[in-house]
């Protein structure tokens, strides 16, 4: 039986985009089963003590911009630091991922195309037509999935992902949860790889003997 990783993310997140390629390589290398769990970042931030970007101190905003450039070079990517159609409401695009999984379809090609669409091509992933086209290009039934994404049932699944995130101590994007151990941020992918390679038991915040 393959090992499983819960993958929390949103198309809104540049860090999920930056980390998606290396994460996919780990998935292939270790034959992982991925449980894709798109989440509403604003809600997740507010409930776990974080702040949306524009409410963070300017020092933190400036440092974020430097980090984006560092990781753009590190991962060998070419993307806009401030794409034309970002920030945007990711509900519909995130919901297409949920709808695809519900239909028994693999969302990975759509994820790759969608992330590139936001950060490289500066497309508007709040636009239903754009999302449908990207899904079609990924081999998925775009119109059907966009229509399904807009339903109350997908909204309920999106909300359940948020609740699952909180229960798992997830507070950002991307987060990879392996055997209950949280790896927050694309800069933790190498540590996730180390855990998979070693086969060690999951680390816990409940350390015995520490007050």
């Amino acid at each position: 039986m393959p090992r499983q990783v819960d993958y929390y993310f949103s198309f809104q997140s540049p860090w999920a985009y930056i980390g998606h390629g290396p994460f996919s390589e780990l998935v292939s290398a270790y034959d992982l089963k991925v449980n894709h769990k798109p989440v509403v970042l604003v809600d997740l931030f507010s409930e776990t003590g974080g702040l949306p970007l524009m409410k963070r101190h300017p020092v933190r905003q400036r440092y974020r911009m430097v980090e984006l450039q560092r990781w753009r070079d590190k991962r060998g990517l070419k993307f806009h630091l401030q794409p034309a159609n970002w920030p945007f409401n990711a509900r519909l695009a995130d919901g297409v991922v949920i709808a695809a999984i519900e239909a028994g379809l693999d969302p990975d090609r759509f994820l790759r195309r969608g992330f590139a669409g936001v950060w490289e091509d500066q497309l508007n992933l709040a636009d239903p037509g754009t999302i449908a086209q990207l899904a079609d290009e990924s081999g998925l039934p775009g119109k059907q999935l966009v229509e399904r994404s807009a339903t109350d049932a997908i909204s309920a699944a999106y909300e359940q992902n948020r609740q699952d995130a909180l229960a798992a101590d997830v507070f950002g994007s991307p987060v990879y949860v392996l055997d209950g151990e949280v790896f927050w941020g694309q800069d933790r992918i190498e540590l996730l790889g180390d855990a998979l390679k070693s086969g060690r038991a999951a680390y816990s915040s409940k350390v015995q003997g520490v007050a």
Side-chain angles (χ1 to χ4, degrees):
M1 177 177 290
R3 299 186 74 180
Q4 297 190 32
V5 173
D6 292 339
Y7 177 28
Y8 292 90
F9 64 92
S10 173
F11 278 116
Q12 186 82 259
S13 169
W15 309 108
Y17 154 66
I18 291 170
H20 189 75
F23 175 61
S24 296
E25 292 174 4
L26 276 186
V27 170
S28 297
Y30 290 95
D31 191 28
L32 301 175
K33 181 182 185 301
V34 180
N35 302 313
H36 297 85
K37 290 180 171 287
V39 288
V40 186
L41 291 184
V42 173
D43 291 351
L44 201 59
F45 289 159
S46 66
E47 294 192 63
T48 57
L51 290 173
L53 177 61
M54 298 313 295
K55 292 186 178 181
R56 295 174 196 167
H57 192 280
V59 168
R60 292 178 178 269
Q61 294 189 40
R62 290 194 294 270
Y63 186 75
R64 171 185 174 276
M65 194 61 65
V66 172
E67 280 281 88
L68 284 173
Q69 293 171 80
R70 287 172 178 159
W71 283 104
R72 181 172 62 181
D73 291 347
K74 176 71 173 178
R75 301 294 189 201
L77 298 169
K78 294 182 179 180
F79 62 88
H80 299 273
L81 299 174
Q82 296 176 303
N85 290 291
W86 186 93
F88 63 98
N89 186 339
R91 162 63 184 84
L92 200 62
D94 284 351
V96 164
V97 177
I98 298 172
I101 295 167
E102 177 188 70
L105 302 171
D106 185 350
D108 187 67
R109 286 182 61 190
F110 174 67
L111 282 167
R112 291 173 181 267
R113 188 68 191 90
F115 280 131
V118 175
W119 300 99
E120 297 172 26
D121 303 326
Q122 303 192 88
L123 301 180
N124 181 9
L125 258 69
D127 175 63
T130 300
I131 299 170
Q133 181 178 344
L134 292 176
D136 287 339
E137 292 172 0
S138 306
L140 301 178
K143 184 174 183 294
Q144 295 177 24
L145 292 178
V146 169
E147 289 176 351
R148 179 60 179 166
S149 176
T151 65
D152 290 343
I154 297 299
S155 291
Y158 203 37
E159 166 60 18
Q160 184 61 56
N161 285 349
R162 184 187 67 81
Q163 294 183 26
D164 291 347
L166 293 170
D169 286 351
V170 169
F171 50 91
S173 168
V175 168
Y176 321 96
V177 182
L178 175 69
D179 299 332
E181 182 177 344
V182 173
F183 295 81
W184 171 49
Q186 64 83 29
D187 53 344
R188 296 298 185 270
I189 287 175
E190 285 76 11
L191 294 179
L192 173 61
D194 291 345
L196 289 164
K197 183 178 181 179
S198 69
R200 64 166 174 77
Y203 295 148
S204 171
S205 60
K206 300 179 179 62
V207 180
Q208 293 184 353
V210 177

